[in-house]
Amino acid sequence: MKKKIKEIKSVFSQDNPKIKKQIDRVKEKGHQRMTILVIPHGYDSSFHFQISVFTILFFAGLTVGLLSLAIFGIVRSNNTRSQINQLSEIYGNYFDTYLTHSNQLEEMKEEYSKLNENMLEIFSLIDGQDDELLKIPAEDAIKSASYELLQREEREDKQLDIGRRYLNEIYDLRYLKHRMTSNEKLVEVNFEYLFTRAAVLSSTPLFNPMYSYNLTSQFGMRKSPTSGFWEYHDGLDMANATGTPIYATAPGRVIKVAYSNVGYGHHIIIQHEFGFNTLYGHCSRIYVRSGQIIKTGDMIAEVGATGNVTGPHLHYEIILSEEGKTDPEEYLQSGIY
């Protein structure tokens, strides 16, 4: 192997006569001079100069190199300008989006401040306990906690350059988030109260049992139309023609469908939630059965004159489990249907 390497070196060595002859020939041609004659237009005299082939090749290579460098610079400049324009457009879009979100954040802060004030007002109106409010941290404490958390995230953010920090809007957004989270208890208390009151309201017999009627006897003491003696009337007598539809005044379950000759005649008792019961007496026809589930406004019977009566009407009662019978007119005049 070493012998072959020596042979190759000897072949391409300048000591080789053939190689040396070729090199000398190239040098001889390169040092040959060319005469360039210049004759200015309109002048009798002329001048000339000589230049070697090597010099001509050098200037030609230099010219080609400069042209190539200029073309490369122009292309690179155009590409850079195009990228700058694209980045500028992207930056403009991001900046517009930033301004939009920044304005939205300010609107959110204002809306939440109003909402929080309303929630506090509702809390005071529903006789909320002060200890519930004590569970809500102060605004300064919420702001301090959110800022400390965000600053810790900045220190741990490896993509954030040293000395840089998040935008102020990020701090505001984190503060707003912490504020909402801290006030969840207030919202829950108000919601629980309103939800319970809504459930009570939906189960309260506030619906009219008939669309139209003539109130012939009110709740309380009255002179009996049949006996002529004073008695305690525990409901409302709502007169209308026989066959007039009667409707359930609240959702519930039918617990009694019965008939009495000396009392209410054909009558119905419906049990509602939260201790309410309603009675519908002197019906001519009944369309429900015991145990049936009823919705508000369901047609349950028709006006009649059964039992101890002097004419067709509905005897309507509201009974509370703890207080007993109460004046139905107070419920019918509540203005809620």
Side-chain angles (χ1 to χ4, degrees), residues 166-199:
Y166 295 152
L167 296 173
N168 291 331
E169 286 74 12
I170 297 180
Y171 279 83
D172 292 341
L173 182 62
R174 185 63 61 86
Y175 162 63
L176 182 60
K177 179 182 177 181
H178 277 69
R179 189 180 176 193
M180 290 179 175
T181 303
S182 301
N183 288 334
E184 281 182 359
K185 184 62 180 178
L186 177 62
V187 177
E188 290 174 359
V189 170
N190 287 343
F191 177 80
E192 182 179 355
Y193 174 85
L194 295 175
F195 183 80
T196 303
R197 294 304 181 272

PDB file of all heavy atoms in Angstrom, residues 166-199:
ATOM      1  N   TYR A 166     -44.791  40.021  31.942  1.00  0.00           N
ATOM      2  CA  TYR A 166     -46.042  39.908  31.195  1.00  0.00           C
ATOM      3  C   TYR A 166     -46.696  41.283  31.040  1.00  0.00           C
ATOM      4  O   TYR A 166     -46.389  42.236  31.762  1.00  0.00           O
ATOM      5  CB  TYR A 166     -47.015  38.972  31.897  1.00  0.00           C
ATOM      6  CG  TYR A 166     -46.546  37.534  31.975  1.00  0.00           C
ATOM      7  CD1 TYR A 166     -46.958  36.701  33.017  1.00  0.00           C
ATOM      8  CD2 TYR A 166     -45.708  37.000  31.012  1.00  0.00           C
ATOM      9  CE1 TYR A 166     -46.538  35.378  33.089  1.00  0.00           C
ATOM     10  CE2 TYR A 166     -45.280  35.697  31.070  1.00  0.00           C
ATOM     11  CZ  TYR A 166     -45.692  34.881  32.115  1.00  0.00           C
ATOM     12  OH  TYR A 166     -45.269  33.595  32.166  1.00  0.00           O
ATOM     13  N   LEU A 167     -47.624  41.369  30.084  1.00  0.00           N
ATOM     14  CA  LEU A 167     -48.364  42.609  29.867  1.00  0.00           C
ATOM     15  C   LEU A 167     -49.238  42.934  31.080  1.00  0.00           C
ATOM     16  O   LEU A 167     -49.680  42.042  31.810  1.00  0.00           O
ATOM     17  CB  LEU A 167     -49.245  42.490  28.619  1.00  0.00           C
ATOM     18  CG  LEU A 167     -48.520  42.310  27.277  1.00  0.00           C
ATOM     19  CD1 LEU A 167     -49.529  42.043  26.174  1.00  0.00           C
ATOM     20  CD2 LEU A 167     -47.692  43.533  26.943  1.00  0.00           C
ATOM     21  N   ASN A 168     -49.488  44.228  31.260  1.00  0.00           N
ATOM     22  CA  ASN A 168     -50.341  44.642  32.377  1.00  0.00           C
ATOM     23  C   ASN A 168     -51.741  44.055  32.272  1.00  0.00           C
ATOM     24  O   ASN A 168     -52.388  43.782  33.289  1.00  0.00           O
ATOM     25  CB  ASN A 168     -50.433  46.175  32.418  1.00  0.00           C
ATOM     26  CG  ASN A 168     -49.118  46.819  32.819  1.00  0.00           C
ATOM     27  OD1 ASN A 168     -48.328  46.210  33.551  1.00  0.00           O
ATOM     28  ND2 ASN A 168     -48.869  48.024  32.344  1.00  0.00           N
ATOM     29  N   GLU A 169     -52.205  43.856  31.016  1.00  0.00           N
ATOM     30  CA  GLU A 169     -53.538  43.284  30.840  1.00  0.00           C
ATOM     31  C   GLU A 169     -53.627  41.862  31.390  1.00  0.00           C
ATOM     32  O   GLU A 169     -54.684  41.432  31.850  1.00  0.00           O
ATOM     33  CB  GLU A 169     -53.926  43.290  29.356  1.00  0.00           C
ATOM     34  CG  GLU A 169     -54.294  44.662  28.802  1.00  0.00           C
ATOM     35  CD  GLU A 169     -53.092  45.563  28.586  1.00  0.00           C
ATOM     36  OE1 GLU A 169     -51.950  45.062  28.648  1.00  0.00           O
ATOM     37  OE2 GLU A 169     -53.290  46.762  28.361  1.00  0.00           O
ATOM     38  N   ILE A 170     -52.523  41.122  31.335  1.00  0.00           N
ATOM     39  CA  ILE A 170     -52.509  39.767  31.884  1.00  0.00           C
ATOM     40  C   ILE A 170     -52.655  39.825  33.399  1.00  0.00           C
ATOM     41  O   ILE A 170     -53.372  39.022  34.006  1.00  0.00           O
ATOM     42  CB  ILE A 170     -51.221  39.036  31.473  1.00  0.00           C
ATOM     43  CG1 ILE A 170     -51.167  38.883  29.950  1.00  0.00           C
ATOM     44  CG2 ILE A 170     -51.122  37.680  32.156  1.00  0.00           C
ATOM     45  CD1 ILE A 170     -49.940  38.184  29.434  1.00  0.00           C
ATOM     46  N   TYR A 171     -51.996  40.806  34.007  1.00  0.00           N
ATOM     47  CA  TYR A 171     -52.156  40.993  35.454  1.00  0.00           C
ATOM     48  C   TYR A 171     -53.599  41.350  35.800  1.00  0.00           C
ATOM     49  O   TYR A 171     -54.173  40.830  36.763  1.00  0.00           O
ATOM     50  CB  TYR A 171     -51.206  42.089  35.947  1.00  0.00           C
ATOM     51  CG  TYR A 171     -49.791  41.616  36.180  1.00  0.00           C
ATOM     52  CD1 TYR A 171     -48.882  41.533  35.131  1.00  0.00           C
ATOM     53  CD2 TYR A 171     -49.368  41.245  37.446  1.00  0.00           C
ATOM     54  CE1 TYR A 171     -47.579  41.100  35.335  1.00  0.00           C
ATOM     55  CE2 TYR A 171     -48.063  40.807  37.661  1.00  0.00           C
ATOM     56  CZ  TYR A 171     -47.182  40.741  36.601  1.00  0.00           C
ATOM     57  OH  TYR A 171     -45.906  40.295  36.812  1.00  0.00           O
ATOM     58  N   ASP A 172     -54.195  42.249  35.014  1.00  0.00           N
ATOM     59  CA  ASP A 172     -55.588  42.639  35.271  1.00  0.00           C
ATOM     60  C   ASP A 172     -56.535  41.460  35.097  1.00  0.00           C
ATOM     61  O   ASP A 172     -57.483  41.286  35.876  1.00  0.00           O
ATOM     62  CB  ASP A 172     -55.990  43.778  34.337  1.00  0.00           C
ATOM     63  CG  ASP A 172     -55.255  45.070  34.654  1.00  0.00           C
ATOM     64  OD1 ASP A 172     -54.730  45.172  35.779  1.00  0.00           O
ATOM     65  OD2 ASP A 172     -55.211  45.963  33.788  1.00  0.00           O
ATOM     66  N   LEU A 173     -56.286  40.664  34.060  1.00  0.00           N
ATOM     67  CA  LEU A 173     -57.151  39.506  33.813  1.00  0.00           C
ATOM     68  C   LEU A 173     -57.033  38.479  34.941  1.00  0.00           C
ATOM     69  O   LEU A 173     -58.039  37.919  35.395  1.00  0.00           O
ATOM     70  CB  LEU A 173     -56.789  38.867  32.473  1.00  0.00           C
ATOM     71  CG  LEU A 173     -57.651  37.667  32.039  1.00  0.00           C
ATOM     72  CD1 LEU A 173     -59.103  38.095  31.871  1.00  0.00           C
ATOM     73  CD2 LEU A 173     -57.139  37.077  30.740  1.00  0.00           C
ATOM     74  N   ARG A 174     -55.802  38.241  35.408  1.00  0.00           N
ATOM     75  CA  ARG A 174     -55.622  37.288  36.508  1.00  0.00           C
ATOM     76  C   ARG A 174     -56.279  37.814  37.790  1.00  0.00           C
ATOM     77  O   ARG A 174     -56.872  37.049  38.557  1.00  0.00           O
ATOM     78  CB  ARG A 174     -54.136  37.039  36.714  1.00  0.00           C
ATOM     79  CG  ARG A 174     -53.819  35.976  37.757  1.00  0.00           C
ATOM     80  CD  ARG A 174     -54.371  34.614  37.337  1.00  0.00           C
ATOM     81  NE  ARG A 174     -53.776  34.174  36.098  1.00  0.00           N
ATOM     82  CZ  ARG A 174     -52.632  33.508  36.025  1.00  0.00           C
ATOM     83  NH1 ARG A 174     -51.982  33.195  37.132  1.00  0.00           N
ATOM     84  NH2 ARG A 174     -52.168  33.133  34.855  1.00  0.00           N
ATOM     85  N   TYR A 175     -56.175  39.112  38.015  1.00  0.00           N
ATOM     86  CA  TYR A 175     -56.818  39.705  39.192  1.00  0.00           C
ATOM     87  C   TYR A 175     -58.331  39.557  39.108  1.00  0.00           C
ATOM     88  O   TYR A 175     -58.995  39.203  40.098  1.00  0.00           O
ATOM     89  CB  TYR A 175     -56.429  41.178  39.295  1.00  0.00           C
ATOM     90  CG  TYR A 175     -57.338  41.992  40.188  1.00  0.00           C
ATOM     91  CD1 TYR A 175     -57.449  41.714  41.549  1.00  0.00           C
ATOM     92  CD2 TYR A 175     -58.099  43.040  39.663  1.00  0.00           C
ATOM     93  CE1 TYR A 175     -58.290  42.459  42.362  1.00  0.00           C
ATOM     94  CE2 TYR A 175     -58.932  43.782  40.471  1.00  0.00           C
ATOM     95  CZ  TYR A 175     -59.025  43.492  41.809  1.00  0.00           C
ATOM     96  OH  TYR A 175     -59.864  44.219  42.610  1.00  0.00           O
ATOM     97  N   LEU A 176     -58.879  39.805  37.913  1.00  0.00           N
ATOM     98  CA  LEU A 176     -60.329  39.670  37.741  1.00  0.00           C
ATOM     99  C   LEU A 176     -60.769  38.220  37.966  1.00  0.00           C
ATOM    100  O   LEU A 176     -61.818  37.957  38.573  1.00  0.00           O
ATOM    101  CB  LEU A 176     -60.727  40.138  36.338  1.00  0.00           C
ATOM    102  CG  LEU A 176     -62.219  40.122  35.998  1.00  0.00           C
ATOM    103  CD1 LEU A 176     -62.992  41.031  36.947  1.00  0.00           C
ATOM    104  CD2 LEU A 176     -62.445  40.542  34.553  1.00  0.00           C
ATOM    105  N   LYS A 177     -59.961  37.278  37.483  1.00  0.00           N
ATOM    106  CA  LYS A 177     -60.282  35.855  37.679  1.00  0.00           C
ATOM    107  C   LYS A 177     -60.287  35.506  39.166  1.00  0.00           C
ATOM    108  O   LYS A 177     -61.207  34.828  39.650  1.00  0.00           O
ATOM    109  CB  LYS A 177     -59.263  35.003  36.927  1.00  0.00           C
ATOM    110  CG  LYS A 177     -59.484  33.511  37.092  1.00  0.00           C
ATOM    111  CD  LYS A 177     -58.407  32.714  36.360  1.00  0.00           C
ATOM    112  CE  LYS A 177     -58.591  31.210  36.603  1.00  0.00           C
ATOM    113  NZ  LYS A 177     -57.540  30.424  35.914  1.00  0.00           N
ATOM    114  N   HIS A 178     -59.254  35.956  39.908  1.00  0.00           N
ATOM    115  CA  HIS A 178     -59.198  35.684  41.345  1.00  0.00           C
ATOM    116  C   HIS A 178     -60.370  36.354  42.076  1.00  0.00           C
ATOM    117  O   HIS A 178     -60.922  35.795  43.026  1.00  0.00           O
ATOM    118  CB  HIS A 178     -57.874  36.187  41.925  1.00  0.00           C
ATOM    119  CG  HIS A 178     -56.748  35.223  41.745  1.00  0.00           C
ATOM    120  ND1 HIS A 178     -56.210  34.936  40.512  1.00  0.00           N
ATOM    121  CD2 HIS A 178     -56.061  34.446  42.637  1.00  0.00           C
ATOM    122  CE1 HIS A 178     -55.238  34.056  40.650  1.00  0.00           C
ATOM    123  NE2 HIS A 178     -55.128  33.742  41.923  1.00  0.00           N
ATOM    124  N   ARG A 179     -60.729  37.522  41.608  1.00  0.00           N
ATOM    125  CA  ARG A 179     -61.840  38.231  42.248  1.00  0.00           C
ATOM    126  C   ARG A 179     -63.151  37.478  42.055  1.00  0.00           C
ATOM    127  O   ARG A 179     -63.946  37.349  42.981  1.00  0.00           O
ATOM    128  CB  ARG A 179     -61.938  39.641  41.645  1.00  0.00           C
ATOM    129  CG  ARG A 179     -62.911  40.551  42.367  1.00  0.00           C
ATOM    130  CD  ARG A 179     -62.939  41.918  41.720  1.00  0.00           C
ATOM    131  NE  ARG A 179     -63.923  42.787  42.331  1.00  0.00           N
ATOM    132  CZ  ARG A 179     -64.319  43.933  41.803  1.00  0.00           C
ATOM    133  NH1 ARG A 179     -63.781  44.340  40.658  1.00  0.00           N
ATOM    134  NH2 ARG A 179     -65.216  44.673  42.407  1.00  0.00           N
ATOM    135  N   MET A 180     -63.359  36.980  40.843  1.00  0.00           N
ATOM    136  CA  MET A 180     -64.573  36.196  40.575  1.00  0.00           C
ATOM    137  C   MET A 180     -64.592  34.916  41.403  1.00  0.00           C
ATOM    138  O   MET A 180     -65.632  34.529  41.959  1.00  0.00           O
ATOM    139  CB  MET A 180     -64.651  35.860  39.082  1.00  0.00           C
ATOM    140  CG  MET A 180     -64.935  37.042  38.180  1.00  0.00           C
ATOM    141  SD  MET A 180     -64.992  36.554  36.433  1.00  0.00           S
ATOM    142  CE  MET A 180     -65.474  38.105  35.668  1.00  0.00           C
ATOM    143  N   THR A 181     -63.425  34.248  41.470  1.00  0.00           N
ATOM    144  CA  THR A 181     -63.352  33.006  42.237  1.00  0.00           C
ATOM    145  C   THR A 181     -63.635  33.258  43.716  1.00  0.00           C
ATOM    146  O   THR A 181     -64.335  32.474  44.369  1.00  0.00           O
ATOM    147  CB  THR A 181     -61.965  32.368  42.071  1.00  0.00           C
ATOM    148  OG1 THR A 181     -61.710  32.152  40.678  1.00  0.00           O
ATOM    149  CG2 THR A 181     -61.889  31.037  42.798  1.00  0.00           C
ATOM    150  N   SER A 182     -63.105  34.359  44.240  1.00  0.00           N
ATOM    151  CA  SER A 182     -63.301  34.667  45.655  1.00  0.00           C
ATOM    152  C   SER A 182     -64.747  35.017  45.969  1.00  0.00           C
ATOM    153  O   SER A 182     -65.200  34.808  47.104  1.00  0.00           O
ATOM    154  CB  SER A 182     -62.382  35.832  46.065  1.00  0.00           C
ATOM    155  OG  SER A 182     -61.025  35.507  45.837  1.00  0.00           O
ATOM    156  N   ASN A 183     -65.469  35.558  44.991  1.00  0.00           N
ATOM    157  CA  ASN A 183     -66.857  35.961  45.219  1.00  0.00           C
ATOM    158  C   ASN A 183     -67.862  34.873  44.848  1.00  0.00           C
ATOM    159  O   ASN A 183     -69.069  35.136  44.826  1.00  0.00           O
ATOM    160  CB  ASN A 183     -67.176  37.230  44.426  1.00  0.00           C
ATOM    161  CG  ASN A 183     -66.499  38.453  45.008  1.00  0.00           C
ATOM    162  OD1 ASN A 183     -66.195  38.490  46.196  1.00  0.00           O
ATOM    163  ND2 ASN A 183     -66.253  39.455  44.186  1.00  0.00           N
ATOM    164  N   GLU A 184     -67.367  33.671  44.548  1.00  0.00           N
ATOM    165  CA  GLU A 184     -68.287  32.583  44.211  1.00  0.00           C
ATOM    166  C   GLU A 184     -69.242  32.275  45.363  1.00  0.00           C
ATOM    167  O   GLU A 184     -70.403  31.943  45.145  1.00  0.00           O
ATOM    168  CB  GLU A 184     -67.491  31.323  43.844  1.00  0.00           C
ATOM    169  CG  GLU A 184     -66.924  31.346  42.433  1.00  0.00           C
ATOM    170  CD  GLU A 184     -66.191  30.064  42.091  1.00  0.00           C
ATOM    171  OE1 GLU A 184     -66.119  29.174  42.962  1.00  0.00           O
ATOM    172  OE2 GLU A 184     -65.695  29.951  40.953  1.00  0.00           O
ATOM    173  N   LYS A 185     -68.749  32.392  46.591  1.00  0.00           N
ATOM    174  CA  LYS A 185     -69.586  32.092  47.752  1.00  0.00           C
ATOM    175  C   LYS A 185     -70.776  33.024  47.821  1.00  0.00           C
ATOM    176  O   LYS A 185     -71.902  32.599  48.128  1.00  0.00           O
ATOM    177  CB  LYS A 185     -68.750  32.195  49.031  1.00  0.00           C
ATOM    178  CG  LYS A 185     -69.500  31.798  50.293  1.00  0.00           C
ATOM    179  CD  LYS A 185     -69.938  30.345  50.247  1.00  0.00           C
ATOM    180  CE  LYS A 185     -70.688  29.948  51.512  1.00  0.00           C
ATOM    181  NZ  LYS A 185     -71.165  28.556  51.452  1.00  0.00           N
ATOM    182  N   LEU A 186     -70.547  34.294  47.514  1.00  0.00           N
ATOM    183  CA  LEU A 186     -71.633  35.266  47.509  1.00  0.00           C
ATOM    184  C   LEU A 186     -72.673  34.910  46.461  1.00  0.00           C
ATOM    185  O   LEU A 186     -73.890  34.975  46.718  1.00  0.00           O
ATOM    186  CB  LEU A 186     -71.076  36.668  47.243  1.00  0.00           C
ATOM    187  CG  LEU A 186     -72.080  37.816  47.133  1.00  0.00           C
ATOM    188  CD1 LEU A 186     -72.846  37.986  48.431  1.00  0.00           C
ATOM    189  CD2 LEU A 186     -71.368  39.108  46.762  1.00  0.00           C
ATOM    190  N   VAL A 187     -72.210  34.520  45.287  1.00  0.00           N
ATOM    191  CA  VAL A 187     -73.138  34.128  44.221  1.00  0.00           C
ATOM    192  C   VAL A 187     -73.917  32.878  44.626  1.00  0.00           C
ATOM    193  O   VAL A 187     -75.132  32.781  44.406  1.00  0.00           O
ATOM    194  CB  VAL A 187     -72.366  33.881  42.908  1.00  0.00           C
ATOM    195  CG1 VAL A 187     -73.301  33.400  41.808  1.00  0.00           C
ATOM    196  CG2 VAL A 187     -71.648  35.150  42.469  1.00  0.00           C
ATOM    197  N   GLU A 188     -73.228  31.907  45.236  1.00  0.00           N
ATOM    198  CA  GLU A 188     -73.887  30.669  45.637  1.00  0.00           C
ATOM    199  C   GLU A 188     -74.968  30.921  46.685  1.00  0.00           C
ATOM    200  O   GLU A 188     -76.051  30.337  46.629  1.00  0.00           O
ATOM    201  CB  GLU A 188     -72.844  29.689  46.182  1.00  0.00           C
ATOM    202  CG  GLU A 188     -71.902  29.138  45.111  1.00  0.00           C
ATOM    203  CD  GLU A 188     -70.805  28.289  45.709  1.00  0.00           C
ATOM    204  OE1 GLU A 188     -70.783  28.151  46.963  1.00  0.00           O
ATOM    205  OE2 GLU A 188     -69.971  27.760  44.951  1.00  0.00           O
ATOM    206  N   VAL A 189     -74.667  31.799  47.640  1.00  0.00           N
ATOM    207  CA  VAL A 189     -75.646  32.098  48.686  1.00  0.00           C
ATOM    208  C   VAL A 189     -76.886  32.745  48.081  1.00  0.00           C
ATOM    209  O   VAL A 189     -78.028  32.365  48.388  1.00  0.00           O
ATOM    210  CB  VAL A 189     -75.017  33.021  49.753  1.00  0.00           C
ATOM    211  CG1 VAL A 189     -76.077  33.535  50.714  1.00  0.00           C
ATOM    212  CG2 VAL A 189     -73.939  32.274  50.522  1.00  0.00           C
ATOM    213  N   ASN A 190     -76.664  33.734  47.203  1.00  0.00           N
ATOM    214  CA  ASN A 190     -77.804  34.394  46.563  1.00  0.00           C
ATOM    215  C   ASN A 190     -78.592  33.425  45.685  1.00  0.00           C
ATOM    216  O   ASN A 190     -79.823  33.431  45.678  1.00  0.00           O
ATOM    217  CB  ASN A 190     -77.323  35.571  45.723  1.00  0.00           C
ATOM    218  CG  ASN A 190     -76.872  36.740  46.572  1.00  0.00           C
ATOM    219  OD1 ASN A 190     -77.196  36.822  47.754  1.00  0.00           O
ATOM    220  ND2 ASN A 190     -76.095  37.641  45.996  1.00  0.00           N
ATOM    221  N   PHE A 191     -77.856  32.593  44.927  1.00  0.00           N
ATOM    222  CA  PHE A 191     -78.538  31.645  44.045  1.00  0.00           C
ATOM    223  C   PHE A 191     -79.362  30.644  44.848  1.00  0.00           C
ATOM    224  O   PHE A 191     -80.499  30.322  44.490  1.00  0.00           O
ATOM    225  CB  PHE A 191     -77.517  30.906  43.185  1.00  0.00           C
ATOM    226  CG  PHE A 191     -78.130  29.855  42.299  1.00  0.00           C
ATOM    227  CD1 PHE A 191     -78.747  30.209  41.113  1.00  0.00           C
ATOM    228  CD2 PHE A 191     -78.115  28.515  42.664  1.00  0.00           C
ATOM    229  CE1 PHE A 191     -79.324  29.250  40.293  1.00  0.00           C
ATOM    230  CE2 PHE A 191     -78.682  27.547  41.855  1.00  0.00           C
ATOM    231  CZ  PHE A 191     -79.291  27.915  40.668  1.00  0.00           C
ATOM    232  N   GLU A 192     -78.778  30.151  45.931  1.00  0.00           N
ATOM    233  CA  GLU A 192     -79.501  29.178  46.751  1.00  0.00           C
ATOM    234  C   GLU A 192     -80.775  29.788  47.317  1.00  0.00           C
ATOM    235  O   GLU A 192     -81.834  29.148  47.323  1.00  0.00           O
ATOM    236  CB  GLU A 192     -78.599  28.701  47.889  1.00  0.00           C
ATOM    237  CG  GLU A 192     -79.237  27.639  48.771  1.00  0.00           C
ATOM    238  CD  GLU A 192     -78.304  27.166  49.868  1.00  0.00           C
ATOM    239  OE1 GLU A 192     -77.134  27.605  49.883  1.00  0.00           O
ATOM    240  OE2 GLU A 192     -78.757  26.371  50.702  1.00  0.00           O
ATOM    241  N   TYR A 193     -80.674  31.039  47.769  1.00  0.00           N
ATOM    242  CA  TYR A 193     -81.858  31.706  48.309  1.00  0.00           C
ATOM    243  C   TYR A 193     -82.921  31.894  47.226  1.00  0.00           C
ATOM    244  O   TYR A 193     -84.092  31.554  47.417  1.00  0.00           O
ATOM    245  CB  TYR A 193     -81.463  33.062  48.895  1.00  0.00           C
ATOM    246  CG  TYR A 193     -82.648  33.886  49.354  1.00  0.00           C
ATOM    247  CD1 TYR A 193     -83.184  33.712  50.614  1.00  0.00           C
ATOM    248  CD2 TYR A 193     -83.224  34.821  48.499  1.00  0.00           C
ATOM    249  CE1 TYR A 193     -84.279  34.451  51.035  1.00  0.00           C
ATOM    250  CE2 TYR A 193     -84.314  35.572  48.905  1.00  0.00           C
ATOM    251  CZ  TYR A 193     -84.843  35.387  50.176  1.00  0.00           C
ATOM    252  OH  TYR A 193     -85.923  36.111  50.572  1.00  0.00           O
ATOM    253  N   LEU A 194     -82.484  32.436  46.069  1.00  0.00           N
ATOM    254  CA  LEU A 194     -83.440  32.715  44.997  1.00  0.00           C
ATOM    255  C   LEU A 194     -84.023  31.431  44.422  1.00  0.00           C
ATOM    256  O   LEU A 194     -85.209  31.373  44.074  1.00  0.00           O
ATOM    257  CB  LEU A 194     -82.760  33.529  43.892  1.00  0.00           C
ATOM    258  CG  LEU A 194     -82.299  34.935  44.306  1.00  0.00           C
ATOM    259  CD1 LEU A 194     -81.539  35.598  43.168  1.00  0.00           C
ATOM    260  CD2 LEU A 194     -83.481  35.789  44.717  1.00  0.00           C
ATOM    261  N   PHE A 195     -83.197  30.382  44.316  1.00  0.00           N
ATOM    262  CA  PHE A 195     -83.698  29.106  43.802  1.00  0.00           C
ATOM    263  C   PHE A 195     -84.748  28.527  44.739  1.00  0.00           C
ATOM    264  O   PHE A 195     -85.795  28.027  44.296  1.00  0.00           O
ATOM    265  CB  PHE A 195     -82.530  28.122  43.646  1.00  0.00           C
ATOM    266  CG  PHE A 195     -82.942  26.796  43.060  1.00  0.00           C
ATOM    267  CD1 PHE A 195     -83.124  26.644  41.699  1.00  0.00           C
ATOM    268  CD2 PHE A 195     -83.158  25.705  43.896  1.00  0.00           C
ATOM    269  CE1 PHE A 195     -83.515  25.419  41.162  1.00  0.00           C
ATOM    270  CE2 PHE A 195     -83.553  24.480  43.374  1.00  0.00           C
ATOM    271  CZ  PHE A 195     -83.725  24.341  42.009  1.00  0.00           C
ATOM    272  N   THR A 196     -84.485  28.597  46.042  1.00  0.00           N
ATOM    273  CA  THR A 196     -85.467  28.089  47.014  1.00  0.00           C
ATOM    274  C   THR A 196     -86.748  28.903  46.956  1.00  0.00           C
ATOM    275  O   THR A 196     -87.856  28.346  46.968  1.00  0.00           O
ATOM    276  CB  THR A 196     -84.881  28.145  48.431  1.00  0.00           C
ATOM    277  OG1 THR A 196     -83.663  27.385  48.470  1.00  0.00           O
ATOM    278  CG2 THR A 196     -85.847  27.576  49.446  1.00  0.00           C
ATOM    279  N   ARG A 197     -86.589  30.241  46.867  1.00  0.00           N
ATOM    280  CA  ARG A 197     -87.789  31.092  46.810  1.00  0.00           C
ATOM    281  C   ARG A 197     -88.559  30.868  45.517  1.00  0.00           C
ATOM    282  O   ARG A 197     -89.794  30.914  45.511  1.00  0.00           O
ATOM    283  CB  ARG A 197     -87.394  32.565  46.945  1.00  0.00           C
ATOM    284  CG  ARG A 197     -86.808  32.939  48.300  1.00  0.00           C
ATOM    285  CD  ARG A 197     -87.762  32.565  49.430  1.00  0.00           C
ATOM    286  NE  ARG A 197     -87.250  32.926  50.739  1.00  0.00           N
ATOM    287  CZ  ARG A 197     -86.481  32.166  51.484  1.00  0.00           C
ATOM    288  NH1 ARG A 197     -86.071  30.983  51.017  1.00  0.00           N
ATOM    289  NH2 ARG A 197     -86.086  32.535  52.679  1.00  0.00           N
ATOM    290  N   ALA A 198     -87.839  30.616  44.426  1.00  0.00           N
ATOM    291  CA  ALA A 198     -88.526  30.334  43.161  1.00  0.00           C
ATOM    292  C   ALA A 198     -89.302  29.024  43.248  1.00  0.00           C
ATOM    293  O   ALA A 198     -90.430  28.909  42.729  1.00  0.00           O
ATOM    294  CB  ALA A 198     -87.515  30.280  42.018  1.00  0.00           C
ATOM    295  N   ALA A 199     -88.697  28.029  43.919  1.00  0.00           N
ATOM    296  CA  ALA A 199     -89.399  26.750  44.085  1.00  0.00           C
ATOM    297  C   ALA A 199     -90.640  26.923  44.943  1.00  0.00           C
ATOM    298  O   ALA A 199     -91.710  26.351  44.654  1.00  0.00           O
ATOM    299  CB  ALA A 199     -88.454  25.727  44.716  1.00  0.00           C
TER     300      ALA A 199
END
